[in-house]
């Protein structure tokens, strides 16, 4: 499995089990050890690779323990300190990491609660752990741009020099992205003042003006993000490279992967058909609902949409043989097409996109079935 698939698998597990993981030990067993084993590729049962309760005397501090030390080529390279998943990470949680970082060979220190993984190194001062992480991975909302550097910390692809060479860029880009995300979610006074000063015709940005602009900035930010997402979806769905027009309509009782092209020149037919396809905002909204539902089973980056003249298809891994749902919205009576284990479609009447939530169990079952068969094949 690729690093993306391994992280996605653990992300799905996190979403399923999070509410039942309450203690630090449960966090270690359910999430931290699987991350070390499945994502990073270390044998958690081999003390030559993973040392639990790692001890190194530090000055007057005797017998302090770090939860895990990861060993590569005979040297401790990564230190991991764990907190329970219900506890937000704070820098004071990393006091032992700070002390151990200076007395071991480790160049990477990790603070985690099982969901959020903060990776630290010594960019600011040699042999002294930084106060800010260079990489923050949230398993509940995976940033795929972080997976390539994460892959370089895995046992089989360990390349600490390459990671450290890009750590500074990762640190500042990551911090800026988190600041922007926070501002888009809940604009600060500084952010509101900054934007208001560029559009307000008055001379002074008074408190009254800031209060006036706060909801406007918040609304503009939400609309901007929505438009960006919709534009990307429309581009992907309308792209020749995405294959958006290659899905053929099949009878409702026919398994989805038995569709056949019926013309002597299928490429020409697909080209003609793609020019007639119009993806509506309502279809995109329903697509997002399906994504929100099945994200409990699989990473969002494995869910794809393809539009056709007659329906909008939602697929796993962009594979026409793995249909998750069909949105029959090009008619007065809308239908949601769902699939059983034989990929036979059943159309369920719905009025609006929100009605799809009533069929969440069936959609999740369909995705779980595909994942189970994939795992069985190895």
């Amino acid at each position: 499995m690729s690093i993306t698939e391994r992280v996605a698998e653990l992300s799905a597990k996190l979403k399923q089990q999070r509410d039942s993981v309450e203690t630090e030990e449960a966090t270690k067993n359910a999430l931290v050890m699987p991350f070390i084993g499945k994502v990073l590729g270390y044998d958690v049962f081999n003390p030559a690779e993973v040392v639990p309760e790692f001890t190194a005397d530090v000055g007057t501090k005797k017998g302090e323990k770090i939860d895990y030390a990861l060993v590569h080529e005979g040297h401790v390279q990564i230190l991991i300190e764990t907190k329970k998943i219900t506890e937000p990470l704070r820098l004071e949680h990393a006091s032992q990491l700070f002390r151990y970082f200076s007395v071991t060979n480790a160049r990477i220190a990790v603070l985690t609660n099982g969901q959020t993984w903060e990776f630290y190194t010594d960019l600011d001062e040699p042999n002294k752990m930084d106060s800010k992480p260079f990489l923050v991975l949230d398993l509940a909302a995976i940033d795929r741009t972080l997976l390539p550097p994460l892959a370089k910390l895995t046992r089989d692809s360990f390349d600490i020099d390459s990671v450290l060479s890009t750590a500074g860029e990762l640190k500042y880009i990551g911090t800026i992205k988190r600041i922007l995300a926070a501002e888009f979610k809940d604009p600060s006074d500084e952010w509101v003042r900054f934007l208001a000063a560029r559009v307000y015709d008055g001379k002074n940005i008074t408190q009254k003006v800031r209060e006036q602009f706060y909801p406007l900035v918040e609304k503009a930010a939400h609309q901007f993000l929505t438009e960006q997402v919709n534009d990307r979806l429309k581009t992907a769905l309308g792209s020749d490279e995405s294959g958006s027009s290659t899905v053929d309509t099949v009878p409702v009782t026919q398994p989805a992967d038995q569709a056949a092209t019926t013309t002597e020149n299928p490429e020409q037919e697909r080209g003609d058909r793609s020019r007639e396809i119009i993806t509506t905002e309502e279809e995109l909204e329903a697509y997002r609902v399906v994504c929100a539902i099945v994200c409990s089973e699989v990473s969002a980056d494995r869910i794809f949409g393809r539009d056709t003249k007659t329906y909008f298809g939602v697929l796993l891994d962009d594979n026409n043989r793995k249909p998750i749902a069909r949105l029959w919205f090009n008619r007065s009576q809308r239908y949601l097409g769902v699939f059983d284990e034989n990929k036979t479609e059943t159309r369920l009447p719905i009025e609006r996109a929100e009605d799809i939530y009533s069929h969440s169990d069936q959609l999740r079952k369909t995705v779980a079935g595909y994942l189970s068969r994939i795992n069985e094949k190895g």
Side-chain angles (χ1 to χ4, degrees), residues 90-369:
R90 295 188 295 271
L91 194 59
E92 52 263 35
H93 291 157
S95 58
Q96 288 167 241
L97 285 175
F98 276 102
R99 288 193 287 272
Y100 273 57
F101 195 87
S102 61
V103 297
T104 66
N105 293 320
R107 298 297 306 279
I108 303 294
V110 182
L111 181 63
T112 182
N113 60 8
Q115 173 178 321
T116 303
W117 291 75
E118 296 181 348
F119 292 77
Y120 297 80
T121 188
D122 56 352
L123 294 174
D124 298 332
E125 189 174 338
N127 207 35
K128 181 179 179 181
M129 192 179 107
D130 296 335
S131 60
K132 293 183 179 180
F134 70 88
L135 188 153
V136 179
L137 178 69
D138 184 351
L139 290 180
I142 300 168
D143 182 348
R144 286 182 291 169
T145 64
L146 302 178
L147 299 185
L150 180 65
K152 296 176 183 178
L153 295 176
T154 60
R155 178 183 178 278
D156 293 336
S157 303
F158 193 78
D159 188 352
I160 189 65
D161 292 333
S162 178
V163 171
L164 295 178
S165 69
T166 59
E169 179 177 317
L170 287 169
K171 176 180 178 179
Y172 293 116
I173 288 178
T175 302
I176 291 170
K177 287 168 68 175
R178 289 190 291 276
I179 291 173
L180 288 172
E183 295 290 0
F184 272 89
K185 183 178 181 181
D186 185 17
S188 65
D189 283 346
E190 293 79 2
W191 184 249
V192 172
R193 187 185 301 111
F194 172 81
L195 294 175
R198 280 155 177 74
V199 297
Y200 181 60
D201 294 331
K203 293 182 179 180
N204 299 317
I205 306 298
T206 63
Q207 179 64 30
K208 183 177 181 180
V209 172
R210 289 200 299 273
E211 292 174 357
Q212 175 189 347
F213 270 88
Y214 181 89
L216 300 179
V217 170
E218 187 176 37
K219 187 174 182 179
H222 291 166
Q223 289 183 1
F224 174 78
L225 289 179
T226 300
E227 289 164 2
Q228 291 297 303
V229 170
N230 289 343
D231 286 346
R232 293 191 65 179
L233 281 172
K234 289 176 181 177
T235 299
L237 293 170
S239 169
D240 292 336
E241 294 181 356
S242 72
S244 60
S245 62
T246 64
V247 183
D248 293 311
T249 304
V250 297
V252 67
T253 57
Q254 182 179 351
D257 58 358
Q258 293 181 4
T261 303
T262 58
T263 68
E264 295 182 359
N265 191 344
E267 293 300 325
Q268 179 179 346
E269 178 184 300
R270 291 167 182 165
D272 293 340
R273 194 163 59 231
S274 66
R275 285 191 290 270
E276 301 173 10
I277 295 171
I278 299 176
T279 302
T280 66
E281 176 59 35
E282 192 173 34
E283 288 173 324
L284 292 174
E285 181 183 359
Y287 168 67
R288 291 192 288 268
V289 170
V290 174
C291 289
I293 292 170
V294 302
C295 273
S296 64
E297 306 297 321
V298 68
S299 174
D301 59 6
R302 296 180 64 183
I303 306 168
F304 290 80
R306 295 190 192 177
D307 204 0
T308 72
K309 285 178 63 176
T310 52
Y311 65 82
F312 185 108
V314 185
L315 309 172
L316 178 65
D317 296 330
D318 204 15
N319 189 335
N320 194 33
R321 293 180 180 273
K322 299 176 185 177
I324 298 172
R326 284 178 179 165
L327 309 172
W328 299 85
F329 280 23
N330 296 339
R331 57 201 69 211
S332 56
Q333 174 60 63
R334 297 167 180 77
Y335 292 91
L336 168 68
V338 296
F339 295 87
D340 62 18
E341 62 275 11
N342 298 315
K343 302 180 187 176
T344 299
E345 181 184 7
T346 300
R347 297 182 194 173
L348 307 170
I350 60 175
E351 295 299 323
R352 58 187 67 84
E354 304 94 272
D355 295 343
I356 297 174
Y357 284 109
S358 301
H359 308 288
S360 297
D361 290 345
Q362 179 58 52
L363 295 172
R364 293 191 183 109
K365 182 179 178 181
T366 298
V367 173

Side-chain angles (χ1 to χ4, degrees), residues 17-27 84-87:
Q17 301 182 356
R18 192 184 193 286
D19 292 340
S20 60
V21 178
E22 298 180 350
T23 66
E24 185 174 317
E25 286 303 312
T27 301
K84 61 183 179 182
I85 194 169
T86 55
E87 190 170 1

